[in-house]
Structures are given as C-alpha cells and as structure tokens.
Amino acid sequence: MAKVLEGLYYSESHEYVRVEGNFGYIGISDYAQHALGNVVYVDMPEVDDEVSAGEEFGAVESVKAASDLMAPVTGVIVEVNEALEDQPELINQDAYENWIIKVELSDKSELEQLMDANAYTAFCEKQ
C-alpha cells in the first residue's frame, strides 16, 4: 500500500498540497510515483507563473509514461524545486519530501474540495 500522510490535501489526479501559512507545497503522491515507476524528468513552470485549480502546470515523465501535473489549488508560484531538474528520481525516493512547486495560495477555501488522508486512501483502494 502506498504511503498517505495525514495533514495533507489530495486531489483525484494524485497531487497533494502541504499547507504552511499562506503557502502550499504541491507534489505528486506516493501512490502516483509508484504507478509511474522510475521518474526521469519533471517539467516545471516558472516562478511568478500562476496556476489554477484543475489546470495543468507541468508534467512528470517516467520510463513507462508521461503524466500531466494538475494544480489542486490556485496561486502564484514562488519557488520551484530545482533539485528535481538534476535528480528527478528524488520523487521516487520520497514523494512527500520532494515537492515540485511552492505557491502562494489565492483562495484557501479551495482546500475544502480536496480529500484528506482517509478519503484519499479509500479513493486509491478503488483505483
């Protein structure tokens, strides 16, 4: 069973958001990295780009497949995880430690549309 962390918000497209103050760290879940296999490339947006909930903001490529990254929340990107440019496999080592983008959240109420750990675990079991 994939690891699901308490205290994060999860989307049906398997991205998570870790909220700290007005900022959200967005990455892909452990379930997603297991499904993808060995990650070989992460296509990330630029700092100051805006992302909108439910819209694509990049992609993760593995030896098996490429998967679009869908923003679980709306915000402005304040940081990208540059370590992933040289070491995309960090996502396989710890998907939750190795977030992809950090955004300043535009509307925290959007978090209510996402799943908590229990709901996400149940969702993954049905996949």
Side-chain angles (χ1 to χ4, degrees):
M1 178 65 200
K3 184 167 67 172
V4 177
L5 297 187
E6 293 286 337
L8 303 181
Y9 298 90
Y10 298 89
S11 69
E12 289 189 359
S13 52
H14 303 289
E15 287 83 12
Y16 68 83
V17 183
R18 183 178 81 236
V19 177
E20 292 182 9
N22 286 328
F23 297 97
Y25 293 84
I26 299 172
I28 64 169
S29 70
D30 193 51
Y31 179 93
Q33 74 82 15
H34 275 293
L36 279 167
N38 293 334
V39 175
V40 294
Y41 179 70
V42 183
D43 179 24
M44 295 180 279
E46 304 285 323
V47 169
D48 293 331
D49 283 358
E50 283 192 46
V51 295
S52 297
E55 292 188 11
E56 182 185 333
F57 71 86
V60 175
E61 294 178 21
S62 71
V63 290
K64 290 197 291 194
S67 181
D68 289 339
L69 294 167
M70 306 303 281
V73 291
T74 301
V76 175
I77 298 169
V78 293
E79 193 178 343
V80 296
N81 188 347
E82 292 179 4
L84 298 178
E85 290 175 11
D86 296 324
Q87 295 180 285
E89 68 277 5
L90 289 171
I91 289 177
N92 295 119
Q93 292 168 20
D94 189 335
Y96 298 116
E97 193 61 38
N98 294 289
W99 48 273
I100 297 169
I101 58 172
K102 176 183 176 183
V103 300
E104 187 166 3
L105 299 169
S106 298
D107 181 0
K108 279 190 163 175
S109 72
E110 289 177 339
L111 297 168
E112 297 164 17
Q113 308 303 312
L114 301 172
M115 293 177 271
D116 66 10
N118 289 338
Y120 184 66
T121 299
F123 176 78
C124 289
E125 286 170 355
K126 290 186 205 145
Q127 295 287 298

